[in-house]
Amino acid sequence: SKDGDVGAFKRRRATELKHGRVSMLACMGYIVPEYFKFPGYLAPKADLAFADVPNGLAAISKVPEAGWCQWFAFVGALETNIFASDASRDPGDYANAGRLGLPFADGIDDPEKRKRSLNAELANGRLAMMAITGMFFQDGLTGSAWGDWALYTDSPLRAFENELGVQAPVGFWDPVGLSKDGNVETFKRRRATEIKHGRISMLATMGYITPEVTGKFPGYLSPSTELKFADIPNGLAAISKVPAAGWAQIIAYAFFVEFSSNNFGWLDTTGNFDFSGKLVNAANAKGDSRAPGDVGWKPPLLATDDAELKKKRLNAEIANGRLAMMAIIGMFFQDGLTGSAWGDWALYTDSPLRAFENELGIQAPVGFFDPLGMSKDGDVGAFKRRRATELKHGRVSMLACMGYIVPEYFKFPGYLAPKADLAFADVPNGLAAISKVPEAGWCQWFAFVGALETNIFASDASRDPGDYANAGRLGLPFADGIDDPEKRKRGLNAELANGRLAMMA
């Protein structure tokens, strides 16, 4: 409606009202048959009783051809006669219709009550349009007018909705749709991978925390290289201390765990190596029947035969593993950026943001706020230029806001431009005032602003942004400054905050 076309607006509003009225009737048509159906026959010739007509979309299949003809004839009669468009009346208001558009019904004479009822009708019609669309989708997917999920047997998600890890508050959560094809083998493979990553991440997280809290083992980690446990730093820095033989041991152990978890047999019953692969194939067949993450090992104090308790613990393991995957990634980033396993910000000396974290305008609750990363290059000159620009815009905006407000309550007496016979009282408030400014006035403005920019507010790299030798508080020319450093900082922070608010205002 941004083009302001009244005719188009009325046409759309009339259409909205019709759709809303039809949708309200349709919603009632879904609900009422659940509680009541007429006795007798809908089509005696076709031996079709009202009781034989199903509720919802399935009812369409029961309508005989003559019924469809009656519908079209009835709707056509309404549209071309009773609900015929009349440009002289309000949208949805018809000469031969009353409340809710019912033919030949009484209208509402009280204007205030009529307006309230029409607003309610519009709101209810909009709600009904959403409701009937939802009913159609539920009915189409489940075959039931009320969308019983148990009836949606074709959903590919049904295969996994009762799997472990489906927990409140999100339930079955697959925003990328990885399991929408319903492939059980793929789901199991991904679930096994998730559990492995979760277990490793839980161990890794503990590996970050434990040396900080409980200390380190006494003695030597590698006697041949005289490497003590105490010499191993915490976090990512420990990687540099691992000798080549240590890496070989780590990789060999990881392979052993992986193959063992897949039940790959290495020795037959006589102690000979399984060169034929029969044990491997048998182990694979046996492994297929196991749940993802079940590697055939029952850890003491954690394993249980109680089905309900086992489910609870396995759900807890998945949830904790997911949390640990997020936690260890955060620790890696903190460690990599700060050199500390706990991410002490004071140690992140290479951050380009450190140059500005103590600047004016860094205020609660957001602190240093630079969502576009304009200062991430750490260019102090560019930062100062932008800060000076921000201060100027803020000061101009504060004056502009006052310029909008004050003329509502007070205007100078006399003439703004005597030669043009233009009094202050003749200048409208707001943007309309621009049309009243004579050419000479524009020239004065540009000359005044130019004089301020090139003289009083001239840039000086040796001074703070917005601080000028010939200006004081709020940037006023030749005004006094603030000598108390703490009071000055508080005043400048307040000016920045108020200026930002004024730019929005």
Side-chain angles (χ1 to χ4, degrees):
S1 57
K2 65 182 180 181
D3 57 3
D5 188 330
V6 177
F9 176 82
K10 284 188 173 183
R11 177 175 56 78
R12 292 191 184 106
R13 172 51 53 83
T15 303
E16 179 186 26
L17 282 163
K18 283 183 182 178
H19 288 174
R21 289 165 179 170
V22 170
S23 296
M24 285 189 278
L25 291 170
C27 287
M28 293 302 296
Y30 255 81
I31 296 168
V32 171
E34 295 287 334
Y35 303 98
F36 170 79
K37 287 185 179 181
F38 289 109
Y41 286 88
L42 171 64
K45 289 183 179 181
D47 197 30
L48 179 64
F50 283 101
D52 298 332
V53 179
N55 197 8
L57 294 174
I60 295 174
S61 64
K62 296 292 185 177
V63 180
E65 291 182 5
W68 287 106
C69 293
Q70 289 172 343
W71 279 17
F72 279 104
F74 177 67
V75 171
L78 290 178
E79 284 288 301
T80 56
N81 293 281
I82 296 174
F83 297 150
S85 178
D86 186 347
S88 66
R89 305 178 73 91
D90 290 334
D93 181 19
Y94 307 104
N96 298 319
R99 300 188 185 196
L100 296 177
L102 296 177
F104 309 112
D106 293 331
I108 304 173
D109 297 324
D110 184 341
E112 192 59 35
K113 189 175 179 181
R114 182 171 180 270
K115 180 180 179 181
R116 188 168 63 251
S117 297
L118 289 173
N119 271 324
E121 181 190 23
L122 270 169
N124 292 338
R126 290 164 180 168
L127 178 61
M129 285 187 273
M130 299 298 293
I132 196 63
T133 301
M135 288 177 176
F136 285 160
F137 268 93
Q138 287 177 321
D139 195 346
L141 290 174
T142 67
S144 165
W146 299 105
D148 185 355
W149 177 252
L151 300 176
Y152 187 17
T153 54
D154 293 332
S155 171
L157 306 182
R158 293 296 298 278
F160 314 123
E161 64 179 359
N162 294 317
E163 290 287 339
L164 292 170
V166 181
Q167 303 173 35
V170 294
F172 184 80
W173 196 65
D174 181 19
V176 185
L178 291 171
S179 58
K180 66 182 179 181
D181 57 2
N183 188 312
V184 177
E185 291 305 316
T186 302
F187 177 84
K188 283 187 173 182
R189 177 174 57 79
R190 292 194 179 111
R191 171 51 53 83
T193 303
E194 178 189 26
I195 290 174
K196 282 184 183 178
H197 288 175
R199 289 168 178 170
I200 291 171
S201 295
M202 286 189 279
L203 290 170
T205 302
M206 292 302 298
Y208 255 81
I209 297 170
T210 302
E212 296 283 340
V213 179
T214 64
K216 297 177 181 180
F217 289 112
Y220 286 88
L221 170 64
S222 175
S224 61
T225 58
E226 293 191 357
L227 180 63
K228 297 180 180 179
F229 285 101
D231 297 333
I232 306 293
N234 198 7
L236 294 174
I239 295 174
S240 63
K241 297 291 185 178
V242 180
W247 284 110
Q249 289 173 342
I250 292 172
I251 294 171
Y253 178 69
F255 271 108
F256 170 76
V257 171
E258 280 291 301
F259 288 133
S260 297
S261 68
N262 286 321
N263 259 0
F264 281 7
W266 293 100
L267 300 172
D268 61 18
T269 53
T270 61
N272 296 318
F273 279 100
D274 176 28
F275 293 109
S276 65
K278 290 180 181 179
L279 290 178
V280 173
N281 293 332
N284 280 336
K286 181 181 177 182
D288 287 342
S289 64
R290 294 202 312 257
D294 182 3
V295 296
W297 178 60
K298 294 184 177 181
L301 305 178
L302 293 177
T304 177
D305 294 325
D306 185 327
E308 194 59 35
L309 182 59
K310 182 180 180 182
K311 180 180 179 182
K312 181 180 177 182
R313 288 178 177 174
L314 290 173
N315 268 323
E317 180 191 28
I318 289 175
N320 291 337
R322 290 167 178 171
L323 178 61
M325 285 188 272
M326 299 299 293
I328 196 63
I329 290 295
M331 288 178 175
F332 285 160
F333 268 92
Q334 288 177 321
D335 195 345
L337 290 173
T338 67
S340 165
W342 299 106
D344 185 355
W345 177 254
L347 300 176
Y348 187 16
T349 54
D350 294 331
S351 171
L353 307 181
R354 294 296 298 278
F356 314 122
E357 64 181 358
N358 295 315
E359 289 287 338
L360 292 169
I362 314 300
Q363 302 174 33
V366 293
F368 185 81
F369 183 67
D370 181 20
L372 299 180
M374 300 184 75
S375 56
K376 66 182 179 182
D377 57 3
D379 188 328
V380 177
F383 177 84
K384 285 188 172 183
R385 177 176 56 78
R386 292 192 184 106
R387 172 51 53 81
T389 303
E390 179 187 25
L391 281 164
K392 283 183 182 179
H393 287 174
R395 289 164 179 172
V396 170
S397 295
M398 285 189 279
L399 291 171
C401 287
M402 293 302 296
Y404 254 82
I405 297 168
V406 171
E408 295 288 336
Y409 303 96
F410 170 79
K411 288 186 179 181
F412 290 107
Y415 285 88
L416 172 62
K419 289 183 178 179
D421 197 32
L422 179 64
F424 285 103
D426 298 331
V427 179
N429 197 7
L431 293 175
I434 295 173
S435 63
K436 297 292 185 179
V437 180
E439 291 183 5
W442 286 108
C443 293
Q444 289 172 342
W445 279 17
F446 279 104
F448 177 68
V449 171
L452 290 178
E453 284 287 303
T454 56
N455 292 281
I456 297 175
F457 296 150
S459 178
D460 186 347
S462 66
R463 306 178 73 92
D464 290 333
D467 181 19
Y468 308 103
N470 298 319
R473 300 188 186 194
L474 295 177
L476 296 177
F478 309 111
D480 293 332
I482 305 173
D483 296 325
D484 183 343
E486 193 59 35
K487 191 175 179 182
R488 183 171 179 270
K489 180 180 179 181
R490 188 168 63 250
L492 290 173
N493 268 324
E495 180 191 23
L496 269 169
N498 292 338
R500 289 165 179 169
L501 178 61
M503 284 188 274
M504 298 298 294

